[in-house]
Amino acid sequence: MTKFPYQAAIRRGWNKAVAPSSSITDPISRHRAQFLNLMLVSFMFVAPFILVIQILISPTVNLATDTSPKAVTMGLAIVFIVYIINHTPYYRIANYIAISVGLVAVVVSAMASSPPHIEILYLVALPLAGILLLSATENSIVCLLTIVCLVVFIKLMSDISNDIFKDMITFTIIVEAMILFASYQRNKLEVDRQRQVIENEKVRILSRFINDISHELRTPLSIIGTGVYLLDKSSDPEARHQRVDLIQNQIEYITVLVEDMLTMTRLDSRLVPVSNALAIGDLVRETTTRLTEKATAKGLTVELNVQPELPPIQGDMKECQLAFTHLLKNAILYTPQGGIKVRAFMRQTSIVIEIEDTGIGISESDRSRIFERFYRVEQARTTRGTGLGLAVTKKIIEDHHGSIEVESVLGQGSLFRVILKP
């Protein structure tokens, strides 16, 4: 069976349209934001389509005087505004606006109807949307407002007897109570599910940690074991001294490896990084100054150019410092001669930090894999390293809602570019 040629593109576009903002980190909030996006985007497509159908089957519709086109236009404007708000740090307000607009729309429609029987059904069912958009406490307020509005509507209707009024209020209270119970249970199940997901993720991370570290420790432990055996068999002081140095180097390597692995595991297991106002320009200057001596000892020049008064970012100082330290250490380690340039500047609405070197460079085939854990390019294997520095750096940058790019020419040098949002 032949697939629709644009099916994949439509699916990608739809998923992108309903996806929650990347700034929303809480899983439950992300789920609610995605559901609201789903409703809003669906309305954007369905409302104009229904209006067109109405015009086609009712040639008498006057676009200038009929209320339907005006209502659809106003609805689309409101939906677009709510959609924009749902992609900002104030995304929770979008949920309240959506429920409020639904409540106001029902009230206005009920006031224009005589009698508002259908609107009463809409009103009773409105808190159902709150199950997926609001917490149980917030939804209880919506249920209370629903009951109040219903009492007002029925009182304004002259054709409702007292017995029917009591029955409708009783029925509405029962329905709202059931909706509240469903809302409470759904919130509870969602929290339990997220806890289970976190526990499963911890198990997966631990398994991966054990697998990775056991693989990486095999070689240095084998070298240490061989060195100890030969040390015991050797009586030459010079040979014994060389064996001790070899063992000491392997121990230092294992220490660095374990520290990097623990850092990677900590980054994997935490949900949200610490977020404080961070002067990124000062951090770049401090990190570069601290490592300049190491570069100078190797005969390398270091040029630092930081644009003054760069806006702060929200992030963790220690983690950002670690990320830039790894980038600078790599630049120093893999640059046999020449120099390193460090730049920090604004580009449109983003802060860009570039670290450029004249080192050994990275081949095109390796460029797409250098951020993988324990992956080391062929040219770098002669230099000691754990293969985790760039993986740690990429993880930290992405956790701070940034991105990292690399440009490189083999044998001429590399440029790493970090892009962050203030």
Side-chain angles (χ1 to χ4, degrees):
M1 181 177 179
T2 305
K3 292 185 177 180
F4 185 62
Y6 301 106
Q7 183 178 354
I10 292 174
R11 186 184 296 110
R12 286 195 300 269
W14 176 262
N15 291 338
K16 186 176 181 180
V18 302
S21 171
S22 59
S23 62
I24 306 176
T25 54
D26 177 59
I28 296 178
S29 298
R30 286 185 64 84
H31 181 75
R32 289 174 178 167
Q34 184 172 11
F35 176 72
L36 180 57
N37 282 342
L38 178 64
M39 291 197 304
L40 298 175
V41 174
S42 299
F43 180 84
M44 292 180 190
F45 282 101
V46 173
F49 177 75
I50 293 177
L51 181 60
V52 171
I53 296 298
Q54 181 185 0
I55 294 173
L56 291 177
I57 39 183
S58 301
T60 58
V61 172
N62 190 328
L63 294 178
T65 59
D66 195 80
T67 57
S68 295
K70 296 178 182 178
V72 169
T73 303
M74 183 181 298
L76 287 174
I78 295 173
V79 163
F80 182 73
I81 292 172
V82 175
Y83 183 81
I84 295 299
I85 295 175
N86 202 33
H87 286 79
T88 69
Y90 309 101
Y91 58 90
R92 289 183 64 85
I93 298 177
N95 294 334
Y96 306 145
I97 294 177
I99 295 294
S100 301
V101 168
L103 184 61
V104 171
V106 172
V107 169
V108 172
S109 180
M111 292 174 63
S113 301
S114 181
H117 294 148
I118 298 299
E119 285 73 13
I120 289 176
L121 293 177
Y122 292 157
L123 188 61
V124 172
L126 179 64
L128 286 173
I131 293 178
L132 293 174
L133 290 179
L134 306 173
S135 67
T137 302
E138 294 166 340
N139 208 25
S140 64
I141 299 175
V142 177
C143 291
L144 182 60
L145 289 174
T146 298
I147 296 173
V148 172
C149 291
L150 185 64
V151 171
V152 174
F153 287 167
I154 297 177
K155 284 294 184 181
L156 293 176
M157 295 169 61
S158 59
D159 59 341
I160 298 294
S161 65
N162 288 334
D163 291 339
I164 296 178
F165 170 75
K166 293 177 182 178
D167 291 341
M168 291 185 67
I169 294 299
T170 302
F171 172 76
T172 302
I173 292 175
I174 293 173
V175 171
E176 302 310 309
M178 294 175 63
I179 291 175
L180 277 178
F181 178 75
S183 180
Y184 171 77
Q185 289 298 320
R186 186 189 182 280
N187 278 265
K188 186 174 181 298
L189 289 173
E190 188 68 22
V191 171
D192 291 342
R193 189 181 72 85
Q194 293 302 329
R195 287 175 180 170
Q196 186 62 46
V197 169
I198 293 172
E199 290 300 321
N200 293 340
E201 183 67 10
K202 287 181 179 179
V203 172
R204 186 191 67 81
I205 292 170
L206 180 59
S207 300
R208 181 173 181 176
F209 174 81
I210 294 173
N211 180 68
D212 289 344
I213 199 168
S214 62
H215 175 76
E216 291 299 317
L217 288 177
R218 189 175 293 114
T219 300
L221 288 177
S222 176
I223 295 174
I224 291 174
T226 303
V228 170
Y229 173 79
L230 294 176
L231 184 63
D232 183 58
K233 298 294 183 181
S234 176
S235 57
D236 182 8
E238 183 64 26
R240 290 174 64 88
H241 180 71
Q242 292 178 356
R243 296 296 176 190
V244 170
D245 287 344
L246 180 62
I247 293 172
Q248 184 63 37
N249 288 336
Q250 296 302 318
I251 292 174
E252 291 175 359
Y253 170 74
I254 291 175
T255 302
V256 174
L257 175 62
V258 171
E259 288 177 354
D260 284 347
M261 284 292 296
L262 290 174
T263 300
M264 196 77 245
T265 302
R266 178 178 57 81
L267 294 175
D268 281 337
S269 59
R270 63 96 187 272
L271 294 178
V272 182
V274 175
S275 184
N276 296 309
L278 175 62
I280 192 68
D282 294 342
L283 186 143
V284 171
R285 290 190 193 92
E286 180 186 344
T287 306
T288 304
T289 302
R290 181 163 44 85
L291 294 174
T292 296
E293 184 178 350
K294 185 176 181 180
T296 304
K298 196 177 177 181
L300 304 175
T301 61
V302 178
E303 295 182 22
L304 176 62
N305 185 7
V306 178
Q307 180 179 323
E309 299 182 358
L310 286 175
I313 67 167
Q314 291 296 316
D316 185 297
M317 185 185 70
K318 290 183 179 179
E319 290 188 2
C320 290
Q321 192 174 55
L322 178 62
F324 292 121
T325 298
H326 277 306
L327 290 176
L328 277 168
K329 280 186 175 180
N330 275 2
I332 296 170
L333 189 61
Y334 299 118
T335 303
Q337 58 182 2
I340 299 166
K341 297 179 181 179
V342 180
R343 298 180 287 268
F345 54 92
M346 286 294 299
R347 186 174 66 185
Q348 296 178 350
T349 59
S350 300
I351 299 175
V352 179
I353 299 99
E354 294 182 340
I355 299 176
E356 184 178 9
D357 63 59
T358 57
I360 60 176
I362 306 167
S363 66
E364 187 175 353
S365 59
D366 289 323
R367 221 170 295 155
S368 60
R369 300 191 60 191
I370 58 173
F371 295 106
E372 294 180 12
R373 303 178 190 198
F374 298 111
Y375 183 80
R376 305 189 70 209
V377 299
E378 192 63 35
Q379 295 86 353
R381 293 187 182 276
T382 55
T383 306
R384 197 61 179 271
T386 64
L388 280 172
L390 288 180
V392 169
T393 299
K394 186 173 187 290
K395 174 66 176 171
I396 292 173
I397 297 301
E398 289 181 346
D399 283 354
H400 286 74
H401 310 296
S403 60
I404 182 168
E405 305 169 353
V406 59
E407 299 175 6
S408 184
V409 178
L410 195 61
Q412 297 184 22
S414 304
L415 186 150
F416 286 84
R417 181 181 297 111
V418 176
I419 303 173
L420 296 168
K421 290 289 183 181

